[in-house]
Amino acid sequence: MDAAPGDMRKGLHVITWGCQMNVYDSARMTDVLRPLGYRPVDTPDAADMVILNTCHIRDRAAEKVFSELGRLRVVKDARATQGRRTVLAVAGCVAQAEGREILARAPFVDIVLGPQTYHRLPEMVARASRAAGAVIDTDFPAEQKFDFLPDTQAPQTPGGVTSFLTIQEGCDKFCSFCVVPYTRGAEASRPVASVLAEARRMVDAGAREITLLGQNVNAYHGAAPDGRVWGLARLAEALSAIPGLARIRYTTSHPRDMDDALIAAHRDLPALMPFLHLPVQSGSDRILDAMNRGHTAAQYLELVHRLREARPDIALSSDFIVGHPGETDADFEATMQLIRDVGFAQAFSFKYSPRPGTPAAGAALQVPEPVKDARLQALQALLRTQQDAFNDATVGRTLPVLFTGRGRKPGQISGRSPYLQAVHVDGPDSLIGQITDVEIAERLTNSLSGTLVQERAFA
Ligand code: 5AD
Ligand code: SF4
């Protein structure tokens, strides 16, 4: 859909990399540009504005951005020959960390903006259309972007049955390896009233599950209407009182912020799903210390123990980094042991990659690449065994599944178990948006298949 002459409508194409927070931010940028006439389009050549929402967390992020920019330059030039302008914007964490370099290497970029300044996007677009040069805005402004972004009218995630809601941003933890405190800035929480209002709108628009997002979501401390500051547990309690909201999840958490109230919430709130992504990164105290994580392996195990006391079936997920500077074979073995001790339902694992400007990047004793490769392989093999074992243990059980959309095969619908497992069944589209019991029949590579209990009863 291209803008016809005289038409106020303009095409907007957003390319998103990285975490769910970026997915959420892309939806918000689309929202702030709507009043200017921008509507989403599927391809860059139909777009009057293209935004690359970037991620800087691991390797080669900037290179990916530059190669995409190379492709977009061709599109921009082609459109220019037809007299059509294309505003190119680079947003997100690469923009924050490497804004000046982007403009130096890709001078055809019009706007560079960091994650804290999305509410100023309309003004930047106006300036970019007037100015000859590029507009750069990677401040950490005193005003909060949460105070300026419009509340959405409807969930922006496809399907809308499960929605993501950012409640917290930034991080003050300064893990040795991580760019987030530099790109996303200091920890900040959104006020309770605004979170509840957005959640209600999402539910009105059909959401049955909301995942609360934040880089350090369990550090949440939002100003509440009662004049107090609420933690995540209190917020989850208030959310669980919203009629029609059946499921609440949150991600990503830090072990240090897993307080008693939040552990108790896993026992007391049926809507709080029995799944927790709680990154530990390493099982070696020496490396945890070098990473500045602020906890030991034993403290993590103790947390897991208390969570399982509160909610015995809770499924655990984690992030791991292998090859952090200084990691020896013994350190790596301690990580393997922690994994054996916990038993994870799923996990993400990465080779350490130096991020410029972070303390670990300059550390002595960088681990050679082949050693990292071997460690990652061994770690992933162990995690795969655990994930399969966790999924196998649900075969034969009946689980409530929230159906979110059609499956890949005709006549199939798919959804999620309480433990975030993907589940496919043969069933009618009318069940999409509903929670229905499914008897799990089989484990596939990364999902489960089953049969609808209701249908069997009537068969
Ligand atoms: N190298 C490798 N992995 C990293 N992560 C963050 N920074 C780095 C890095 N420099 C991983 C951590 C974090 C996840 C989102 O990405 O495991 O929890
Ligand atoms: Fe990065 Fe550590 Fe903050 Fe997580 S807790 S965002 S890994 S600095």
Side-chain angles (χ1 to χ4, degrees):
M1 174 190 49
D2 233 339
D7 188 349
M8 282 301 289
R9 281 160 72 116
K10 293 176 226 131
L12 171 68
H13 185 68
V14 185
I15 300 173
T16 310
W17 284 284
C19 64
Q20 288 299 343
M21 308 247 327
N22 268 12
V23 175
Y24 181 90
D25 282 344
S26 291
R28 295 300 85 74
M29 286 192 274
T30 307
D31 290 340
V32 292
L33 289 171
R34 220 174 275 275
L36 274 68
Y38 285 96
R39 297 289 180 271
V41 292
D42 293 334
T43 58
D45 29 287
D48 300 277
M49 174 159 180
V50 180
I51 303 177
L52 301 186
N53 193 5
T54 62
C55 170
H56 198 243
I57 196 104
R58 282 178 299 274
D59 228 0
R60 298 194 4 251
E63 286 320 306
K64 271 192 261 173
V65 174
F66 284 114
S67 63
E68 188 64 46
L69 282 173
R71 283 191 286 278
L72 289 171
R73 176 187 207 162
V74 176
V75 176
K76 182 171 172 144
D77 289 348
R79 283 173 53 93
T81 60
Q82 299 156 9
R84 294 185 299 175
R85 175 142 200 253
T86 314
V87 177
L88 267 187
V90 181
C93 296
V94 175
Q96 184 67 42
E98 301 186 29
R100 299 270 158 212
E101 194 187 338
I102 290 170
L103 290 181
R105 274 180 66 181
F108 50 94
V109 167
D110 302 286
I111 297 175
V112 173
L113 70 159
Q116 304 305 320
T117 58
Y118 294 157
H119 54 285
R120 297 184 188 160
L121 192 51
E123 178 201 326
M124 286 184 245
V125 174
R127 267 163 54 205
S129 2
R130 284 194 303 268
V135 178
I136 181 160
D137 193 343
T138 49
D139 283 0
F140 286 118
E143 80 264 23
Q144 280 297 318
K145 85 175 189 190
F146 288 142
D147 298 340
F148 285 83
L149 289 176
D151 282 329
T152 46
Q153 298 308 309
Q156 303 287 320
T157 41
V161 175
T162 58
S163 291
F164 294 94
L165 205 173
T166 297
I167 63 167
Q168 179 281 336
E169 267 217 53
C171 181
D172 297 332
K173 300 268 187 313
F174 292 91
C175 296
S176 61
F177 52 83
C178 186
V179 284
V180 166
Y182 312 96
T183 56
R184 290 273 172 171
E187 203 283 317
S189 294
R190 189 171 169 183
V192 168
S194 145
V195 172
L196 293 178
E198 185 162 7
R200 279 192 207 99
R201 267 193 301 274
M202 287 175 162
V203 173
D204 287 347
R208 303 293 318 278
E209 172 178 298
I210 290 180
T211 303
L212 305 172
L213 298 178
Q215 264 99 23
N216 242 271
V217 75
N218 61 340
Y220 179 81
H221 58 282
D226 63 5
R228 293 167 189 260
V229 171
W230 288 12
L232 185 58
R234 183 74 188 84
L235 182 71
E237 190 187 334
L239 285 165
S240 69
I242 296 177
L245 181 58
R247 293 182 165 191
I248 300 167
R249 304 180 185 277
Y250 58 94
T251 196
T252 290
S253 294
H254 193 291
R256 263 158 65 191
D257 295 314
M258 211 61 225
D259 63 12
D260 293 347
L262 193 51
I263 294 173
H266 279 280
R267 180 191 63 212
D268 300 335
L269 300 178
L272 200 54
M273 288 293 99
F275 177 94
L276 180 61
H277 182 64
L278 191 63
V280 65
Q281 314 293 358
S282 168
S284 150
D285 287 346
R286 241 173 42 83
I287 295 299
L288 286 168
D289 188 44
M291 286 176 163
N292 192 30
R293 292 288 292 175
H295 64 82
T296 61
Q299 284 167 332
Y300 185 86
L301 292 173
E302 168 66 14
L303 256 183
V304 168
H305 175 71
R306 288 170 54 213
L307 280 158
R308 284 182 168 151
E309 262 182 356
R311 180 80 207 229
D313 64 335
I314 197 162
L316 292 166
S317 160
S318 181
D319 292 340
F320 294 94
I321 295 178
V322 298
H324 184 275
E327 187 187 73
T328 62
D329 284 344
D331 294 319
F332 175 65
E333 176 47 34
T335 301
M336 295 290 273
Q337 190 54 45
L338 179 137
I339 296 173
R340 288 183 212 109
D341 289 344
V342 173
F344 288 95
Q346 63 151 72
F348 302 95
S349 44
F350 315 101
K351 282 191 289 180
Y352 169 72
S353 83
R355 306 284 78 204
T358 58
L365 298 173
Q366 297 286 332
V367 175
E369 215 49 35
V371 176
K372 288 188 206 169
D373 284 332
R375 288 181 187 164
L376 188 66
Q377 249 193 1
L379 183 113
Q380 291 187 335
L382 176 59
L383 288 167
R384 165 53 68 180
T385 317
Q386 295 197 337
Q387 179 178 329
D388 289 350
F390 180 82
N391 289 336
D392 281 340
T394 57
V395 173
R397 286 183 60 193
T398 296
L399 299 177
V401 172
L402 171 58
F403 286 103
T404 50
R406 292 204 174 127
R408 245 180 265 148
K409 297 191 194 133
Q412 249 189 4
I413 51 174
S414 70
R416 296 273 173 184
S417 78
Y419 311 110
L420 208 62
Q421 297 153 297
V423 181
H424 319 282
V425 301
D426 286 333
D429 287 0
S430 58
L431 287 181
I432 295 170
Q434 314 248 5
I435 296 173
T436 311
D437 277 347
V438 171
E439 186 177 324
I440 306 300
E442 197 186 349
R443 167 176 66 80
L444 311 169
T445 315
N446 286 311
S447 64
L448 302 169
S449 71
T451 52
L452 294 166
V453 170
Q454 244 176 356
E455 295 232 322
R456 284 188 322 134
F458 294 114

